[in-house]
Every structure is written in structure tokens, then in C-alpha cells.
């Protein structure tokens, strides 16, 4: 889908559909003409958030159709709602074969923040998870999405395009089933992406990881016929000196999580193909940074494994030695994400990262705590947590800070090794984070548990069912806002 900015008057827009926003309790926008004025006066369309109405051959416009999208109350309409409104416009028009859409930005909404959000919403709304349908349910496509607004929005439109396309890149990776997305295939995709956008990519294979002593990661991998990989992608800005901050992004990439010997129930197990959403997210972030070029050194570390109960699989009770030297008693082989992240975090610290942020579909417990609405945020460092929460708000991703005080660490105790990989029944998302914190050691670190938010269970008016690409926009914003 081509994205353009068009500063010409809306009446001249030759488009399949002109989309305008209307607000609850406001006068109907002029672009809607008599039709919209009457429609709103009748009460049939009141401007409720994400409500839509469509008419053909609107008077005084060159557009073939006019779509009105409700924005709710004007005062509470933020870029967050704009993203959803634009996505709703796109998804309601796409099946009609309109071909092209022009969204009118007026008044306070003709700003960079709103323009970027509108473009993001349209591109995110355009994503379909139907890569493997040989007969597409809806083969209609939108060729062009135009923002009608002043030239001053050009940079915002371009940056919105890059970020959302990279979020869709992540979603496409997450959408791949495990038979088409092994750790090595993910590594190939990372190499391809890095080559295309001028990033450095290095893949550590099993032998290299053995030499280094990554016993925690390798223990998870040993039950699968698929070889593991630690994917490293580097972005270096021009002129970043010695002593400058260096952000390490670590993404859990379990290409399939059967649970291993502590096997999961079969019901819903098919969804565990999305257990690599954290890894896919940080790869999407690197792709965006390559184009946006912020002034911060960033390296992505993606430990990629398949968690299977093969005959060589690790057993409950096994004790592995992690790269850090700490020994771990694997009490539950389904708590594998923290094991692979532990070694990747130690490696990231040794690679000179001054700050660490990981993204991981880590626990079912975070879904119990926060549902499918908020990402769970854990952090060992207040300034980093503040930066991250600000970035999330600016990027329009809902995140909720969770506690992580020392008392939780006390729940990780075993007489047989330095640390067990699980706590007791309660506070599972927090004890998982407490486990990771051990491996961040004194490096400022934050952790995003995206288990509840990386997959949309039911389609929304603005987004298809399936992978969401959550955390991409926040982590891009974090890197861009660093300096
Ligand atoms: N990949 C799962 C977590 C998960 C659950 C992701 C639901 C997405 C949706 C993780 O590896 C896992 O299995 N965690 C266990 C930990 C437990 C054994 C302590 C869990 O949450 O049940
Ligand atoms: Zn698991
Ligand atoms: Zn998992």
C-alpha cells in the first residue's frame, strides 16, 4: 500500500473514498456536506468512537465515496484513538474494493503526532494473517492511502510508515507456523533483513554456544531436532563514541513451545507458534532503526530454540550451568523462556550493553493479571522504567508497571543449585521477572511480558485476528527518544 501526503483541498481528492472524522456533540464536519449534517442531526450517527457510515457520490466532492468515522468525544481523542480510527476506516472500506482512501486531517488533528498515528493505523489495519490461504477470502487490496494535510506533516507521515511497516514485518514473522519458522529459518530471515537495510548480523550456532558455555539455552534446545541459534543484529549510529549508552534488546524466540517434558495440554497448544513474538519484535525494531537512524547504539539478541520433548530433552530436575556461571535447577521444562533469556542477557552484558530491555511471551500468569489489554512491565532501574513508560505512552501501547521487590526473589529457592527456574503457584509473572533480574545483575534492565498482548484472539474493527506486533513501536520510540 502506497502512503502519500496530499496538501490539496479535500474537495479535489480523486479517491475511492474520502474519510472524515466526526465527534460526539460536535457539529458535523463541512466535508460531509448536507448528507452528514442530516445524518448526525437525525441521531442515526452520533460520532461514537469507531462507528462508521458510508455514502456514494457525495455532493461537491471528486471522491467516489464518503466515509465518516466516529472519534468519540473530541477532548478525549488522542493519537491512540486516531490510530484505531484510521485502521477502522481502512478495514471497513477494503472489502468494498475502493482501491484508494484519503483521510482528512483537520484542525488540531493536522499535527505530526496525529498524522503519524493515522498512517500507522492504516498500515496496521491493512495486515491480514492469510499468507497461507490459497483462495483469499477477500482478494481486494487498497493501492493507496493518502493523508490530506499540510506539507509540514511529511516527516511524520514517513516515520509512521516506517514504524508500522516494521511492526507488520514482525507480525508476518509471528504468523508463520512452527513448521515454517524454525530457529534457523528465523536466523535466515534476520540475516536477509539485516542485509537489506545495512545492519550487521551474526548468528551463533550450537557449537559456538557450547564453546561459550550457554548451558541454559542449550538445555532447552536439546529436546528438539531443530538446531538453536543466537541471532545478534547490530545498529551503530555514525559517531557514537566510547562510553556512550548502548541499548541491548533481547527477544524470546521459542519457535514452538510444547512445554518439553513438562508438556502443555493439547487444547490451545497450536498457539505456541507465537512464542517467538518477543524475538520477532526486536527484529522489527532493528529494521525500523536502520531507516530512522537514531543517535543510540542498539544491539538485538534473539535466542531462538524449539522447546520439544524429544528423547534427548532435558528433564525436570536437571541442573544446567548458565553462561553467567550460575547453576539452574530446571524444575519445569515449560518455564524455558527465562532459561534462554538468561544466557542471552549475560551475553548482551559481555557485549558491552549498558542497558537491557527484553520482550518475551514469558508467562500465562501475566495474562491472568492483566488480560489481553496491557503489557506487563518489570524493571530494576527507575530511570529506565520511566523512559520506557514514556515511550509506551507516546507510541500508543498500553503497558502497566508490575512490582518487583526483593521479597519475590526469596521465592526462588532450591537446595540443589543456585536458583530454580520456577517459584510457587502465585505471582508467576513476577517470579519469572525476578529470575531474569538475577541475570541482568547490576545492568539497568527492564522486561516486557507480552504473553497476553502479542496475539489478538478476536479481530477488531481496526485490526485482524492474530499477531499484533506489540512492543515494536514502544522500543523504537525508546531508542529514538534516548538522547
Ligand atoms: N510460552 C509460555 C507462556 C505463555 C502462556 C505465552 C500463554 C503465551 C500464552 C511459557 O514458556 C510458559 O509455558 N510458562 C509457564 C511457566 C510455568 C511453568 C511456571 C506458564 O506460564 O504456565
Ligand atoms: Zn513454556
Ligand atoms: Zn514459552
Amino acid at each position: 500500500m502506497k502512503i502519500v501526503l496530499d496538501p490539496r483541498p479535500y474537495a479535489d481528492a480523486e479517491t475511492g473514498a474520502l474519510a472524515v472524522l466526526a465527534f460526539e456533540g460536535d457539529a458535523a464536519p463541512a466535508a460531509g456536506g448536507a448528507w452528514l449534517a442530516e445524518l448526525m442531526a437525525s441521531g442515526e450517527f452520533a460520532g461514537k468512537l469507531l462507528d462508521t457510515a458510508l455514502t456514494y457520490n457525495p455532493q461537491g466532492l471528486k471522491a467516489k465515496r464518503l466515509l465518516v468515522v466516529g472519534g468519540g468525544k473530541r477532548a478525549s481523542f488522542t493519537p491512540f484513538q486516531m490510530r484505531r480510527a484510521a485502521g477502522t476506516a481502512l478495514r471497513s472500506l477494503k472489502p468494498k474494493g475502493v482501491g484508494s482512501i484519503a483521510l482528512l486531517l483537520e484542525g488540531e488533528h493536522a499535527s505530526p503526532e496525529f498524522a503519524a498515528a493515522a498512517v500507522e493505523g492504516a498500515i496496521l489495519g491493512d495486515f491480514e494473517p492469510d499468507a497461507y490461504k490459497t483462495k483469499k477470502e477477500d482478494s481486494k487490496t487498497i493501492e493507496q492511502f493518502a493523508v490530506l494535510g499540510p506539507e509540514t506533516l511529511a516527516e511524520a507521515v514517513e516515520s509512521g510508515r516506517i514504524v508500522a511497516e516494521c511492526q507488520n514485518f514482525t507480525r508476518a514473522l509471528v504468523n508463520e507456523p512452527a513448521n515454517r519458522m524454525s530457529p534457523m529459518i528465523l536466523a535466515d530471515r534476520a540475516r536477509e533483513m539485516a542485509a537489506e537495510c545495512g545492519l550487521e548480523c551474526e548468528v551463533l550456532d550450537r557449537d559456538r554456544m557450547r564453546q561459550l558455555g550457554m548451558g541454559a539455552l542449550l538445555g532447552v534446545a536439546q529436546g528438539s531436532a531443530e538446531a538453536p541459534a543466537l541471532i545478534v543484529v547490530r545498529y551503530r549510529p555514525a559517531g557514537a563514541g566510547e562510553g556512550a549508552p548502548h541499548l541491548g534488546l533481547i527477544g524470546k524466540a521459542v519457535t514452538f513451545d510444547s512445554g518439553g517434558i513438562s508438556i502443555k495440554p493439547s487444547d490451545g497448544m497450536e498457539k505456541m507458534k507465537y512464542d517467538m513474538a518477543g524475538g520477532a519484535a526486536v527484529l522489527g525494531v532493528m529494521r525500523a532503526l536502520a531507516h530512522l537512524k537514531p543517535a543510540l547504539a542498539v544491539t538485538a539478541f534473539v535466542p531462538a530454540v524449539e522447546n520439544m520433548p524429544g528423547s534427548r530433552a532435558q528433564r525436570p530436575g536437571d541442573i544446567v550451568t548458565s553462561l553467567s556461571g550460575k547453576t539452574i535447577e530446571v524444575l519445569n521444562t515449560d518455564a524455558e523462556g527465562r532459561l534462554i533469556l538468561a544466557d542471552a542477557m549475560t551475553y548482551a552484558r559481555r557485549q558491552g550493553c549498558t542497558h537491557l530491555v527484553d520482550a518475551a511471551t514469558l508467562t500465562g500468569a501475566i495474562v491472568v493479571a492483566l488480560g489481553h489489554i496491557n503489557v506487563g512491565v518489570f524493571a530494576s532501574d527507575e530511570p529506565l522504567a520511566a523512559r520506557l513508560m514514556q515511550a509506551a505512552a507516546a507510541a500508543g501501547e498500553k503497558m502497566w508497571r508490575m512490582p518487583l521487590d526483593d521479597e519475590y526473589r526469596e521465592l526462588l529457592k532450591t537446595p540443589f543449585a543456585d536458583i530454580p527456574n520456577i517459584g510457587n503457584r502465585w505471582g508467576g509473572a513476577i517470579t519469572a521477572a525476578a529470575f531474569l533480574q538475577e541475570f541482568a545483575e547490576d545492568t539497568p534492565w527492564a522486561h516486557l511480558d507480552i504473553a497476553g498482548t502479542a496475539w489478538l484472539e478476536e479481530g477488531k474493527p481496526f485490526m485482524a485476528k492474530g499477531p499484533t506486533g506489540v512492543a515494536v513501536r514502544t522500543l523504537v520510540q525508546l531508542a529514538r527518544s534516548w538522547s
Side-chain angles (χ1 to χ4, degrees):
M1 185 170 66
K2 201 173 158 217
I3 302 295
V4 299
L5 175 66
D6 187 347
R8 289 174 300 176
Y10 63 78
D12 296 337
E14 285 175 31
T15 177
L18 176 69
V20 298
L21 295 164
F23 296 91
E24 263 175 280
D26 260 21
W35 169 72
L36 187 55
E38 256 178 65
L39 187 70
M40 289 188 77
S42 75
E44 217 174 289
F45 177 88
K48 243 186 79 197
L49 188 62
L50 306 188
D51 267 4
T52 58
L54 181 70
T55 186
Y56 287 78
N57 295 320
Q59 269 184 7
L61 302 182
K62 289 190 180 150
K64 291 204 183 80
R65 301 171 190 78
L66 177 69
L67 176 81
V68 57
V69 183
K73 295 259 176 356
R74 182 180 284 271
S76 45
F77 188 78
T78 63
F80 182 90
Q81 280 83 25
M82 174 64 97
R83 199 173 286 106
R84 293 185 167 190
T88 302
L90 187 126
R91 292 190 73 74
S92 71
L93 290 167
K94 194 174 173 181
K96 300 186 191 298
V98 303
S100 63
I101 301 174
L103 174 66
L104 177 59
L105 298 189
E106 293 183 298
E108 75 267 34
H109 304 137
S111 75
E113 290 77 16
F114 277 106
V119 170
E120 288 168 10
I123 294 172
L124 297 174
D126 196 32
F127 178 89
E128 306 291 351
D130 61 357
Y132 294 106
K133 276 199 178 290
T134 55
K135 287 199 192 85
K136 307 276 187 234
E137 258 154 41
D138 219 315
S139 57
K140 308 212 168 77
T141 55
I142 305 276
E143 304 297 330
Q144 178 172 298
F145 180 84
V147 166
L148 304 186
E151 296 280 14
T152 51
L153 301 180
E155 220 181 282
V157 165
E158 177 61 1
S159 123
R161 182 188 67 79
I162 291 167
V163 172
E165 283 180 2
C166 291
Q167 189 172 339
N168 281 353
F169 167 83
T170 291
R171 294 166 81 191
L173 291 178
V174 177
N175 197 46
E176 293 291 339
N179 64 325
R180 294 167 185 269
M181 185 51 72
S182 63
M184 276 305 161
I185 297 175
L186 184 62
D188 287 344
R189 299 289 291 273
R191 273 199 205 94
E192 237 173 71
M193 179 277 286
E196 268 169 32
C197 49
L199 296 169
E200 196 186 307
C201 180
E202 185 187 354
V203 177
L204 283 65
D205 64 9
R206 198 194 308 256
D207 287 344
R208 181 77 189 115
M209 290 190 274
R210 235 184 235 133
Q211 280 173 3
L212 289 167
M214 296 188 171
L217 190 159
L218 291 172
V220 177
Q222 78 192 29
S224 170
E226 297 292 345
L230 176 58
I231 305 162
V232 183
V233 180
R234 298 186 176 88
Y235 165 75
R236 294 291 177 273
E242 282 282 307
H246 177 185
L247 177 62
L249 298 177
I250 300 128
K252 170 180 173 181
V254 177
T255 58
F256 189 72
D257 183 9
S258 70
I261 295 297
S262 313
I263 199 161
K264 288 180 180 295
S266 59
D267 200 28
M269 201 200 270
E270 74 283 354
K271 275 184 44 200
M272 281 302 118
K273 66 179 180 179
Y274 89 84
D275 211 21
M276 37 64 77
V282 306
L283 292 175
V285 172
M286 297 312 285
R287 186 179 189 268
L289 298 184
H291 291 102
L292 297 167
K293 303 196 183 348
L296 178 72
V298 184
T299 307
F301 302 87
V302 179
V305 301
E306 189 182 51
N307 188 22
M308 296 289 272
S311 60
R312 303 292 310 275
Q314 70 180 346
R315 297 136 291 240
D318 280 7
I319 294 174
V320 294
T321 302
S322 65
L323 178 61
S324 71
K326 291 188 169 96
T327 56
I328 305 168
E329 187 185 17
V330 181
L331 289 176
N332 189 313
T333 65
D334 196 12
E336 84 297 341
R338 61 199 80 180
L339 295 171
I340 66 172
L341 290 169
D343 279 348
M345 285 166 65
T346 303
Y347 189 69
R349 295 181 70 238
R350 294 189 184 171
Q351 291 275 303
C353 292
T354 59
H355 296 76
L356 302 179
V357 180
D358 75 79
T361 48
L362 201 64
T363 66
I366 201 67
V367 193
V368 175
L370 299 176
H372 298 292
I373 313 289
N374 272 277
V375 171
V377 178
F378 301 82
S380 65
D381 180 78
E382 290 310 309
L384 178 59
R387 275 181 195 280
L388 188 67
M389 296 306 285
Q390 270 161 28
E397 292 190 308
K398 290 189 186 176
M399 302 209 178
W400 196 262
R401 183 83 185 268
M402 300 285 289
L404 186 58
D405 41 275
D406 295 343
E407 252 183 284
Y408 292 102
R409 173 64 184 84
E410 293 164 24
L411 299 171
L412 296 171
K413 270 196 302 237
T414 167
F416 304 113
D418 295 334
I419 190 169
N421 75 329
I422 55 168
N424 61 25
R425 255 168 76 88
W426 311 112
I430 311 175
T431 48
F435 178 92
L436 293 181
Q437 188 174 9
E438 280 299 301
F439 297 87
E441 302 195 35
D442 56 358
T443 305
W445 156 83
H447 156 58
L448 305 180
D449 195 334
I450 59 171
T453 45
W455 191 266
L456 198 57
E457 299 282 345
E458 258 179 73
K460 303 264 190 193
F462 49 87
M463 199 182 248
K465 174 182 173 142
T468 63
V470 72
V472 171
R473 293 204 309 278
T474 294
L475 295 176
V476 170
Q477 178 64 22
L478 177 69
R480 293 178 88 184
S481 63
W482 198 279
S483 43

